[in-house]
Amino acid sequence: MSKLIDKLFGAIDHVTERGSRQMAHRLGRRTFLSFVGKVAVGGAIMPLLPFDRDGGGTARAAAEKTDQECEYWRYCALDGFLCTCCGGTINQCPPNAQVSAVTWVGTCQNPGDGKEYLISYNDCCGVASCGKCLCNFNLRERPGYRMGVHNDINWCMANTQSNYHCTVAAVVGLGNSNG
Amino acid sequence: MSKLIDKLFGAIDHVTERGSRQMAHRLGRRTFLSFVGKVAVGGAIMPLLPFDRDGGGTARAAAEKTDQECEYWRYCALDGFLCTCCGGTINQCPPNAQVSAVTWVGTCQNPGDGKEYLISYNDCCGVASCGKCLCNFNLRERPGYRMGVHNDINWCMANTQSNYHCTVAAVVGLGNSNG
Amino acid sequence: MRLGLFAAAMLASTAILPAYAQEAAKEIQPEEITNVKITAGTEMLFSMDLALNHVVDGRIYVMDAKTLKPIGIIGTGSLGMAQFPQGSKDIYVATSHLSRTTRGERSDFVEVYSGEDLTFKEEIPISNNRAQALNYRSLFQPSAEMKYLFVQNATPATSVTIVDLAAKKQIGDIPNPGCYGIFPSAKTATRFATLCGDGTVGTIDVKPDGTGEMKPSEAIFDADADAIFTSAYRWGDYWVFPSYGGNIYVIDVEGDTAKLVDKIEVAKGVEGNWRPGGYQPLTVHDKNGIAYMLMHSNGTEGSHKNPAEEIWAVDLKAKKVIGRSKSVPAIGLTVNQGDKPALFAIDGLKAEIVRYDLPDAGKEFALTPAVAASGGDLPDQVEVR
Amino acid sequence: MRLGLFAAAMLASTAILPAYAQEAAKEIQPEEITNVKITAGTEMLFSMDLALNHVVDGRIYVMDAKTLKPIGIIGTGSLGMAQFPQGSKDIYVATSHLSRTTRGERSDFVEVYSGEDLTFKEEIPISNNRAQALNYRSLFQPSAEMKYLFVQNATPATSVTIVDLAAKKQIGDIPNPGCYGIFPSAKTATRFATLCGDGTVGTIDVKPDGTGEMKPSEAIFDADADAIFTSAYRWGDYWVFPSYGGNIYVIDVEGDTAKLVDKIEVAKGVEGNWRPGGYQPLTVHDKNGIAYMLMHSNGTEGSHKNPAEEIWAVDLKAKKVIGRSKSVPAIGLTVNQGDKPALFAIDGLKAEIVRYDLPDAGKEFALTPAVAASGGDLPDQVEVR
């Protein structure tokens, strides 16, 4: 875990420079990490996520949507081009696009198991905008004063290559929207 | 006339640098000017062109096309966005776009009087591409080895602000295509 | 004539031009190629096009506000913001350029364009941390008296760049952590407010050295239950905000800390669960004190960017809806401030700007569709001056 | 996981994230976010998109040649040219970038991208005079043995930039006045030919110091009566050109001066006045010696960019048309060079790439439509490797 944190902090210090370093300082390193720690390293040995990644099987039967369609369940708070239409996959950027260093999140219900999952929407960066499969869903999305759930901004902002290309939607935890 | 030529040569030397200066030198200044002189300064006091600039009146009645349509007679060798759809007119660039320093030409028949006219297609330069009224006609157009009648290249190439915005179509002489 | 026929001239003798073109010159007065001049006093409509498919090449489409005929284009780079301050003749753009178009080094600037002929005038370098966001009017604002320009930053840590317009340089970068959007004071050139995720509104006074501290207000809104949109309009000295839940918050930012002046429950008691939606869901005609809102029915959590079905007129003094009208599926709305007011809406599906004429002051609310024109690939803000 | 949740993490404690999200972390293995790896040996299709509506933001859409499923995008700046040399693993782009996206200083480069993962590798500065043109394959060509890259310039005076690939720098700029297009020798790394407006073909031998003189051939074509297209393909050591009038010119550029090897009158005697048209109207399957041509009927002066109605197969050895087939309205065409040849056409109206499977060698000509996919906004060149 400390290696992960070092990597995270190293990268943050590097890419977002003054702003985020100040912020981390202001909030305190412990507070800063409390959330990431839980999500990133919780239950590290679970072998598989409880749903089909390509939207097939149970999940797809229920949702009837593939991950190249805006209505696919993971996209409940995604605003952007689906990387699945741009040479990427649901959680992989196209070959030459940088994974964004920072993200916004959504909490979406998987119709396959009825559970809610925390979704990290990473932009893929540094390549001309993909232009395919533009989607816009905004469940629990808020303006920039709730930056972590705001989707009207370029989340490649902290990358050395800052141009927006497309967006992936990775499951990073179980969610609980309380309704 | 010498003032015009000075202006022309000054600009050429400035904007196209080595290439065109060498070319002018190679061809000889007199040869270089023989064509421009005739077109630019011939019959300097004729008050009006023999057709309506907006495509109205006789010309329009015959052609049934306005200068915001690709089929308007002056556009017989134009490949690009009509400036008439971008805030310009048939022979005026939009307010903030530079007139191109160099041009290609076409010879188009005006259905209003049945005569052929030499058309200078000037690109307007230095502003994001207009994107409206894309037209593509190629009467007597030839590849780049006949550069003066080639339309698949950015004719803002010799301007300090080289981005392509849109294209005007000015009558600069009577034409004779020999059919 | 300008330099028109250079190419033809230069190349005529080398078989590059066909013989017939070399013979072409006859006794005729060639047309001069010049630039269109914009008639002084033309009311202009500005459609800000995000151009997301080519996000490095955003632009402002400038049109005649009366006819929506095109006047010209101003390029705004990568996710640039624009401001058209009333009373100014200039247009301000805060944007980013990459050294190799879609890759390479990022450089941020405030750029100044002439509102008289749309030409580029100058650029002021700013730090490379501005929020590269959709076009929200609150992310780039001038201070009172045009002393400063304020640029919202996000790295994602938030701060505000202060540009001194007289000195033409950045003088500060003041953190507004947990907060977003800039709402300048109408009277105090050094003061602006910002919306915060805890429901407070922060007030920042810029010191001469470009520093400043944020002073929170009392809690004014609830970001979970009734989040405020960050696209707001002025009504006199107040700022007017719509909320996700269908309310209007009137906020006074003139004092040391911000104060809620009024909360108007616009949609309360109306059948159909109507809510505001879009990127610029409310505008205010300052003189008449009427807010116009983009409203959609069957509103739910997450519907806050849905296009409008109706436009509602709300009398801010009487605190009530004074009219409703069908609308194109609009996602942005502005109103001109003259005596013959007109609304300009962004049709989010057709990517068009639509002009609706409004009745004269005192007459009953009604919308008269006038003209429509392309607003670009993906317009997300509309302004008029 | 990478750095995924930084924003959420950073902002969770300041009321920027709602409470439910802070509670969300549970016992679950988060998905890692990585990059797709391209399977080694994948045959790739490259659609070059002029993107004229956003001309600074041209791109290459890279697809799997078999399925036309997207692999990725390479940005090509303002009117950039690209080359995918057979046998090389790299992709070369010659392009221009402006310092302020659509305005400011112009800088030209040869850029090198990896054909294995499409990432940017390096850039070589070149002089700012390259032809900013539609995508024509003859405007940017590698020499034999990949010793040089040749870039066609136009100011509008024409010259050719010589880039030394080992030294990674420009070593010369050789005038080819009145001429245009680059057709390298297959055997001599220092030699290339160029088409001239007087109907000759010039041959230039690049000296070690980057200079060279152009030696004209005898007159080979008539630019008025039967102009040659500048988009040509190789057939063995020859270059094969279509002409406006419906002929194929086979030209040998290996010698000191170029020579016409053959002129095949493809459309002669065929009813309907068929002519080639488009931006890339002919391609050659090298091994089979078959040229495929985009043909339209009722050809006239000025119809040379018209989209195709049919694709014709021409046996270059037998000098005759061996088949005709209906086509999408294509403006560009290429063929892969393997034993299972397929044609890839640009549908100029739908802006799509269409794959047609070809019969095995020796079988009768027929086109089997296989798949189609978007080729961008305005694709004007298609290549396969």
Side-chain angles (χ1 to χ4, degrees):
Chain A
M1 176 157 170
S2 70
K3 209 170 163 189
L4 173 75
I5 292 167
D6 285 351
K7 196 176 159 194
L8 182 64
F9 257 91
I12 291 168
D13 282 350
H14 178 64
V15 296
T16 70
E17 298 172 337
R18 193 165 52 100
S20 55
R21 206 175 320 178
Q22 284 181 346
M23 174 66 98
H25 182 69
R26 195 158 44 239
L27 300 180
R29 197 178 178 96
R30 186 181 303 184
T31 309
F32 190 99
L33 281 178
S34 62
F35 183 58
V36 115
K38 276 193 273 184
V39 174
V41 298
I45 323 179
M46 282 185 76
L48 272 176
L49 291 169
F51 45 81
D52 185 276
R53 189 158 59 79
D54 293 325
T58 315
R60 186 178 178 173
E64 294 169 2
K65 292 293 173 186
T66 73
D67 63 8
Q68 295 187 23
E69 294 172 285
C70 291
E71 296 78 11
Y72 181 62
W73 69 270
R74 289 193 191 193
Y75 302 149
C76 77
L78 186 154
D79 186 7
F81 304 118
L82 304 182
C83 287
T84 52
C85 297
C86 308
T89 70
I90 190 73
N91 66 336
Q92 287 180 301
C93 290
N96 58 344
Q98 288 185 354
V99 179
S100 71
V102 294
T103 77
W104 82 101
V105 297
T107 304
C108 306
Q109 190 181 48
N110 178 357
D113 62 10
K115 290 184 187 167
E116 288 188 331
Y117 291 89
L118 191 67
I119 309 293
S120 175
Y121 300 107
N122 286 72
D123 284 344
C124 299
C125 309
V127 177
S129 33
C130 163
K132 290 178 182 166
C133 299
L134 179 60
C135 299
N136 187 359
F137 282 107
N138 300 290
L139 191 64
R140 290 180 274 274
E141 196 267 354
R142 291 293 180 272
Y145 49 72
R146 287 255 170 106
M147 189 58 82
V149 291
H150 182 51
N151 69 13
D152 285 338
I153 194 165
N154 176 16
W155 279 97
C156 295
M157 63 179 109
N159 285 54
T160 49
Q161 293 299 314
S162 62
N163 197 55
Y164 171 66
H165 180 56
C166 64
T167 306
V168 298
V171 166
V172 291
L174 288 168
N176 174 17
S177 72
N178 297 324
Chain B
M1 176 157 170
S2 70
K3 209 172 165 189
L4 174 74
I5 292 166
D6 286 351
K7 196 177 161 193
L8 182 63
F9 256 92
I12 290 168
D13 283 350
H14 178 64
V15 296
T16 71
E17 297 172 338
R18 193 165 52 100
S20 56
R21 207 174 318 177
Q22 283 179 345
M23 173 66 96
H25 182 68
R26 197 159 41 239
L27 300 180
R29 198 178 177 97
R30 187 181 303 184
T31 308
F32 190 99
L33 281 178
S34 62
F35 183 57
V36 113
K38 277 195 270 184
V39 174
V41 298
I45 321 177
M46 280 188 77
L48 272 177
L49 291 168
F51 44 81
D52 185 275
R53 190 159 58 81
D54 292 324
T58 315
R60 186 179 179 174
E64 294 171 359
K65 293 290 173 187
T66 73
D67 63 8
Q68 295 189 23
E69 293 172 285
C70 292
E71 296 78 11
Y72 181 62
W73 70 271
R74 291 193 189 193
Y75 302 150
C76 76
L78 185 153
D79 186 7
F81 303 118
L82 304 183
C83 286
T84 50
C85 297
C86 308
T89 69
I90 190 71
N91 66 337
Q92 288 181 301
C93 290
N96 58 345
Q98 288 184 354
V99 179
S100 71
V102 293
T103 77
W104 82 100
V105 298
T107 305
C108 306
Q109 189 181 49
N110 178 357
D113 62 10
K115 290 184 188 167
E116 288 188 331
Y117 292 89
L118 191 68
I119 310 293
S120 175
Y121 299 108
N122 285 71
D123 285 344
C124 301
C125 308
V127 176
S129 33
C130 163
K132 290 180 184 166
C133 299
L134 179 60
C135 299
N136 186 1
F137 282 106
N138 299 289
L139 191 64
R140 290 181 274 274
E141 196 268 352
R142 290 294 179 273
Y145 50 71
R146 288 253 169 107
M147 188 59 80
V149 290
H150 183 51
N151 69 15
D152 285 338
I153 194 164
N154 176 16
W155 280 97
C156 295
M157 61 179 110
N159 285 55
T160 50
Q161 293 299 313
S162 62
N163 197 55
Y164 172 64
H165 180 58
C166 65
T167 306
V168 298
V171 166
V172 292
L174 288 170
N176 174 19
S177 71
N178 296 325
Chain C
M1 190 59 213
R2 297 280 294 266
L3 311 173
L5 280 175
F6 158 63
M10 191 182 77
L11 304 167
S13 62
T14 59
I16 286 162
L17 262 194
Y20 63 78
Q22 299 184 46
E23 305 273 322
K26 294 279 156 54
E27 302 297 310
I28 188 172
Q29 172 70 31
E31 290 177 356
E32 200 176 350
I33 302 166
T34 58
N35 282 96
V36 168
K37 301 262 179 288
I38 302 174
T39 306
T42 301
E43 187 179 49
M44 293 190 207
L45 187 286
F46 305 97
S47 173
M48 268 123 97
D49 182 9
L50 177 63
L52 193 64
N53 287 15
H54 292 277
V55 71
V56 298
D57 190 24
R59 52 273 292 282
I60 306 165
Y61 288 92
V62 184
M63 307 171 210
D64 184 307
K66 194 177 170 69
T67 61
L68 299 188
K69 286 195 176 149
I71 290 176
I73 290 175
I74 294 174
T76 55
S78 289
L79 294 159
M81 303 293 147
Q83 257 296 330
F84 315 88
Q86 301 291 338
S88 167
K89 286 187 169 168
D90 287 334
I91 294 166
Y92 296 91
V93 172
T95 194
S96 311
H97 299 287
L98 301 177
S99 61
R100 300 293 180 264
T101 309
T102 57
R103 58 182 181 80
E105 203 184 336
R106 167 182 168 180
S107 306
D108 288 7
F109 300 93
V110 164
E111 300 172 345
V112 187
Y113 292 83
S114 164
E116 296 178 284
D117 61 10
L118 312 185
T119 53
F120 170 74
K121 291 174 74 173
E122 62 186 323
E123 65 188 18
I124 303 168
I126 56 174
S127 49
N128 293 344
N129 54 343
R130 69 173 197 90
Q132 291 189 320
L134 274 64
N135 290 293
Y136 279 105
R137 59 203 325 267
S138 66
L139 301 184
F140 181 41
Q141 283 282 334
S143 75
E145 299 161 27
M146 294 294 292
K147 179 178 175 65
Y148 296 134
L149 288 171
F150 302 125
V151 184
Q152 177 67 58
N153 303 319
T155 64
T158 49
S159 64
V160 176
T161 286
I162 317 294
V163 175
D164 184 316
L165 266 173
K168 292 180 181 170
K169 65 172 189 182
Q170 173 170 349
I171 61 160
D173 184 354
I174 302 177
N176 60 338
C179 310
Y180 201 64
I182 298 154
F183 308 94
S185 158
K187 290 177 186 155
T188 308
T190 54
R191 180 170 292 171
F192 67 92
T194 181
L195 299 183
C196 304
D198 62 3
T200 65
V201 176
T203 298
I204 290 173
D205 287 298
V206 181
K207 294 177 196 161
D209 68 355
T211 64
E213 295 291 328
M214 190 165 63
K215 295 182 209 78
S217 69
E218 299 294 308
I220 286 180
F221 67 100
D222 181 333
D224 292 315
D226 192 29
I228 287 182
F229 288 88
T230 54
S231 177
Y233 273 74
R234 281 196 178 285
W235 172 39
D237 290 351
Y238 301 145
W239 282 99
V240 180
F241 299 82
S243 77
Y244 286 23
N247 303 307
I248 287 176
Y249 291 71
V250 180
I251 297 178
D252 180 349
V253 306
E254 296 304 312
D256 204 38
T257 56
K259 285 185 179 59
L260 179 66
V261 174
D262 229 327
K263 180 179 168 185
I264 305 172
E265 294 178 312
V266 173
K268 198 183 181 184
V270 180
E271 203 179 356
N273 202 16
W274 290 83
R275 294 187 183 187
Y279 294 86
Q280 189 182 3
L282 172 145
T283 184
V284 178
H285 192 275
D286 195 15
K287 198 170 153 188
N288 295 355
I290 297 174
Y292 302 93
M293 288 174 85
L294 299 177
M295 301 293 284
H296 62 275
S297 62
N298 301 313
T300 60
E301 167 57 45
S303 75
H304 54 280
K305 293 175 195 166
N306 282 17
E309 298 158 38
E310 295 186 1
I311 293 172
W312 291 15
V314 182
D315 186 317
L316 295 171
K317 280 163 286 187
K319 302 178 194 180
K320 65 171 189 182
V321 177
I322 58 169
R324 294 167 53 172
S325 176
K326 289 274 174 218
S327 169
V328 293
I331 57 164
L333 190 68
T334 196
V335 63
N336 62 4
Q337 298 296 337
D339 289 331
K340 289 277 184 191
L343 290 176
F344 300 89
I346 301 169
D347 182 327
L349 299 188
K350 289 188 182 167
E352 278 184 351
I353 305 298
V354 178
R355 178 188 165 117
Y356 289 110
D357 287 326
L358 283 163
D360 292 337
K363 296 277 171 69
E364 205 167 317
F365 175 72
L367 292 181
T368 310
V371 281
S374 166
D377 294 349
L378 201 61
D380 60 349
Q381 186 185 346
V382 57
E383 301 287 347
V384 61
R385 180 175 78 184
Chain D
M1 192 58 213
R2 299 278 296 267
L3 310 175
L5 280 174
F6 159 63
M10 191 182 79
L11 304 168
S13 64
T14 58
I16 287 163
L17 263 194
Y20 63 80
Q22 299 185 46
E23 305 272 324
K26 293 280 156 56
E27 303 297 309
I28 189 172
Q29 172 69 31
E31 291 177 353
E32 200 177 350
I33 301 166
T34 58
N35 282 96
V36 169
K37 301 264 179 285
I38 302 173
T39 306
T42 302
E43 188 178 50
M44 293 189 206
L45 187 287
F46 305 98
S47 173
M48 268 124 97
D49 183 8
L50 176 65
L52 193 63
N53 287 15
H54 292 278
V55 71
V56 298
D57 189 25
R59 52 273 292 283
I60 306 165
Y61 288 93
V62 184
M63 307 171 210
D64 184 309
K66 195 177 169 66
T67 60
L68 299 189
K69 284 194 176 153
I71 290 176
I73 290 174
I74 294 174
T76 55
S78 288
L79 294 160
M81 304 292 147
Q83 256 297 330
F84 315 89
Q86 301 290 338
S88 167
K89 286 187 170 168
D90 286 335
I91 294 167
Y92 297 91
V93 172
T95 193
S96 312
H97 299 287
L98 302 177
S99 61
R100 300 292 180 265
T101 310
T102 56
R103 60 182 179 81
E105 203 183 336
R106 167 181 169 179
S107 307
D108 288 7
F109 300 93
V110 165
E111 300 173 345
V112 187
Y113 292 85
S114 164
E116 297 180 286
D117 62 9
L118 312 186
T119 52
F120 170 74
K121 291 174 74 173
E122 61 185 324
E123 66 187 17
I124 303 168
I126 55 174
S127 50
N128 294 345
N129 53 342
R130 70 173 196 90
Q132 291 188 322
L134 273 64
N135 291 292
Y136 280 105
R137 59 204 323 267
S138 66
L139 300 184
F140 181 41
Q141 283 282 333
S143 76
E145 300 161 26
M146 294 295 291
K147 179 179 174 66
Y148 296 134
L149 288 172
F150 302 125
V151 184
Q152 178 67 59
N153 303 319
T155 64
T158 49
S159 65
V160 176
T161 285
I162 317 293
V163 175
D164 184 319
L165 266 173
K168 292 179 180 169
K169 65 172 188 182
Q170 174 170 347
I171 63 159
D173 184 353
I174 303 177
N176 61 338
C179 309
Y180 201 63
I182 297 155
F183 309 94
S185 159
K187 291 175 184 156
T188 308
T190 53
R191 181 170 290 169
F192 67 91
T194 181
L195 300 183
C196 303
D198 61 3
T200 65
V201 176
T203 297
I204 291 172
D205 286 298
V206 181
K207 294 178 195 160
D209 68 354
T211 64
E213 294 292 326
M214 189 165 63
K215 296 183 208 76
S217 69
E218 300 294 307
I220 285 179
F221 67 100
D222 181 333
D224 292 315
D226 191 29
I228 287 183
F229 287 89
T230 55
S231 177
Y233 272 75
R234 280 196 178 286
W235 172 39
D237 290 351
Y238 300 145
W239 282 99
V240 180
F241 299 82
S243 76
Y244 286 23
N247 302 306
I248 286 177
Y249 290 71
V250 181
I251 298 178
D252 180 349
V253 307
E254 296 304 311
D256 204 39
T257 57
K259 285 184 179 58
L260 179 67
V261 174
D262 230 328
K263 180 179 168 183
I264 306 172
E265 294 177 313
V266 173
K268 198 183 180 184
V270 180
E271 202 180 357
N273 202 16
W274 290 84
R275 295 188 183 186
Y279 294 86
Q280 190 181 3
L282 173 145
T283 183
V284 178
H285 192 274
D286 195 13
K287 199 168 153 188
N288 295 355
I290 297 173
Y292 302 93
M293 288 174 84
L294 299 177
M295 301 293 284
H296 61 275
S297 63
N298 300 315
T300 59
E301 167 58 45
S303 75
H304 55 279
K305 293 176 195 165
N306 282 18
E309 297 157 38
E310 295 185 1
I311 293 173
W312 292 15
V314 182
D315 186 319
L316 294 171
K317 280 163 286 188
K319 302 178 192 177
K320 64 172 189 183
V321 177
I322 59 169
R324 294 169 52 173
S325 175
K326 290 273 175 219
S327 169
V328 293
I331 56 164
L333 189 68
T334 196
V335 63
N336 63 4
Q337 297 296 338
D339 290 331
K340 289 277 184 193
L343 290 176
F344 300 88
I346 301 168
D347 182 326
L349 299 188
K350 288 187 182 168
E352 279 184 351
I353 303 299
V354 178
R355 178 189 165 114
Y356 289 110
D357 287 327
L358 283 163
D360 292 338
K363 297 275 172 68
E364 205 167 315
F365 175 72
L367 292 181
T368 310
V371 280
S374 166
D377 294 348
L378 200 62
D380 60 349
Q381 186 184 347
V382 58
E383 301 287 348
V384 61
R385 181 175 79 183

